[in-house]
Amino acid sequence: MRGNRNRRGSRRVRAALSAAVVVCAVTTVLPAAASAESRAAASDGGSGVERVSVATDGAQGDGASAGATITPDGRRIAFASLATNFTTANPVTWQRVYVRDRRTSQTTLMSTNTPPIERPVISGDGQYVALWGELFRDTKTFLAQVAAASSIGISCPGLSCRQPSLSSDARYIAQSTTFNRPPSRQLIEVRDWRAGTTQTVAEFDHTLPSRPSISGDGRFVAYEDGRTEDVFVWDRTDDTSAGPIEGPDKAATLVQISKDGRKVVFLSGSDTYVHDERSGTNQLVPNVKGLAIDPTGRYLLYAPHDTSGPSLVLRDLETGTDETVSSQPATAGTDSVSSDGRDVVFHSAADDLVPGDTNNKSDVFVRRFY
């Protein structure tokens, strides 16, 4: 692997860890979920939940919708759908990508005939949407401009680009690139598509998951070495990577980096950890699966392993207070929480989250906490 050199004063590269450094890499356990009053969140059937996978006229979809991401201000949500009645465009049999503007109630089809392999990603300013789709035998990153609903392909040095992550203005795209057919190696890169330049973050002689996740300003990229099960953070200012952030002898899987670049969420065993880049400490959130963190790094969305309670919960990492996002079966992914934990976007096949849900399909919803 390339680039995992210590930054000055770093204590995180595994080979250099000493007993004294291990002591400094403190892991703190958050207080038990507090029973403090909710921030006036509505119940699952109340006014705090809105279905966003609808046409501009409010019609519910005739196909399943899922895989949503939200802008930090909560205004725009990108999602994938099999619905054919959201726009007047010719109906197709594959998933297409839409953006719902909650302020104008407009649902816009992103102009690409490529079905997304994974969930689309919306930029922080809500102006661009990236998706990873097939192109003949390979895959490519496509970037669509919301206002014009037009798209371009983002080049990569290998045969296939995958797993895009966007900076807030979408200028920087972190993605993994695979080589050879069948693929046998990969690199993680940051593409400045406006300047037409690329920086290599890391290189691997395997194609196991790397999951790049970029900060809002494009400076930091968190990524995973799927073979060693380690998580690292790359800094564009000095072109070096530090890690593994989970410490020695622990397997880790990356979730995402917060848009302010300060917090990195990763999984290890049955637990979730939130790494603070400034202090080097890890907060433990036990027995849950972390799904996303808000742009400020304060609010963690997670799924409890205990299936007898809520399916999605939002935790205030400063107070330890939990808020129920959904008591019905529901799923969410990265970039699904707006700033300060005000909005959480998710998808569910439940038909009692909002009135008038009769399509018997998976829909995308957003819960607002006041």
Side-chain angles (χ1 to χ4, degrees):
M1 188 186 76
R2 168 199 178 275
N4 286 337
R5 304 185 299 275
N6 271 1
R7 292 202 285 265
R8 180 173 298 176
S10 173
R11 74 253 159 252
R12 284 165 284 179
V13 175
R14 174 167 296 166
L17 283 170
S18 64
V21 174
V22 172
V23 170
C24 292
V26 178
T27 296
T28 58
V29 182
L30 285 173
S35 58
E37 291 186 5
S38 164
R39 290 175 291 151
S43 64
D44 268 357
S47 60
V49 179
E50 172 191 352
R51 182 164 52 171
V52 294
S53 55
V54 294
T56 297
D57 63 5
Q60 61 185 342
D62 59 9
S65 301
T69 58
I70 192 168
T71 54
D73 63 3
R75 175 177 173 175
R76 286 175 172 164
I77 296 169
F79 63 93
S81 182
L82 285 168
T84 62
N85 63 326
F86 286 164
T87 70
T88 57
N90 292 332
V92 293
T93 58
W94 58 78
Q95 279 192 328
R96 305 185 82 174
V97 174
Y98 297 88
V99 171
R100 177 71 173 177
D101 189 320
R102 298 170 67 200
R103 183 179 301 172
T104 64
S105 298
Q106 296 290 310
T107 301
T108 304
L109 171 66
M110 295 296 95
S111 179
T112 174
N113 290 325
T114 303
I117 296 175
E118 290 187 350
R119 55 210 302 273
V121 181
I122 194 165
S123 61
D125 60 9
Q127 299 301 311
Y128 294 91
V129 174
L131 65 92
W132 170 30
E134 290 184 312
L135 184 66
F136 305 111
R137 292 188 294 172
D138 305 308
T139 63
K140 195 175 188 69
T141 295
F142 294 90
L143 189 66
Q145 188 176 34
V146 174
S150 60
S151 63
I152 60 174
I154 301 299
S155 62
C156 56
L159 292 175
S160 290
C161 311
R162 58 181 187 170
Q163 300 174 314
S165 179
L166 294 180
S167 64
S168 292
D169 62 0
R171 174 172 180 168
Y172 299 101
I173 301 175
Q175 60 186 3
S176 63
T177 300
T178 59
F179 297 82
N180 306 328
R181 188 178 287 114
S184 60
R185 65 186 182 95
Q186 68 177 314
L187 62 80
I188 303 168
E189 64 176 16
V190 174
R191 177 77 174 170
D192 181 344
W193 66 272
R194 293 178 185 172
T197 59
T198 301
Q199 285 182 274
T200 298
V201 176
E203 299 176 4
F204 301 115
D205 59 358
H206 61 76
T207 58
L208 294 171
S210 58
R211 312 174 195 273
S213 178
I214 196 168
S215 63
D217 60 2
R219 174 178 173 178
F220 299 103
V221 175
Y223 63 95
E224 172 186 342
D225 183 339
R227 175 174 291 169
T228 63
E229 298 183 297
D230 289 324
V231 175
F232 301 89
V233 178
W234 175 80
D235 187 341
R236 178 163 52 90
T237 58
D238 56 13
D239 191 23
T240 60
S241 293
I245 65 172
E246 72 274 12
D249 304 321
K250 180 183 288 186
T253 301
L254 176 67
V255 177
Q256 75 168 106
I257 191 170
S258 60
K259 288 304 178 185
D260 64 4
R262 292 190 57 187
K263 302 292 180 66
V264 181
V265 181
F266 65 90
L267 312 178
S268 185
S270 61
D271 302 321
T272 294
Y273 293 84
V274 181
H275 175 78
D276 189 307
E277 270 291 289
R278 291 186 180 178
S279 67
T281 58
N282 295 325
Q283 282 188 330
L284 168 64
V285 187
N287 200 35
V288 302
K289 180 181 180 181
L291 301 172
I293 194 164
D294 89 298
T296 71
R298 175 169 176 171
Y299 293 92
L300 173 74
L301 179 66
Y302 70 82
H305 293 311
D306 181 0
T307 58
S308 63
S311 62
L312 294 176
V313 178
L314 188 70
R315 173 163 292 191
D316 185 330
L317 293 171
E318 291 187 7
T319 66
T321 303
D322 280 346
E323 304 272 16
T324 296
V325 175
S326 180
S327 295
Q328 300 288 6
T331 305
T334 57
D335 299 312
S336 57
V337 185
S338 69
S339 290
D340 301 316
R342 186 173 185 182
D343 301 282
V344 180
V345 67
F346 60 95
H347 69 266
S348 175
D351 61 5
D352 58 353
L353 296 177
V354 295
D357 188 346
T358 59
N359 63 356
N360 296 314
K361 306 291 183 182
S362 169
D363 293 304
V364 173
F365 302 90
V366 62
R367 177 178 287 282
R368 165 152 288 192
F369 294 98
Y370 297 94

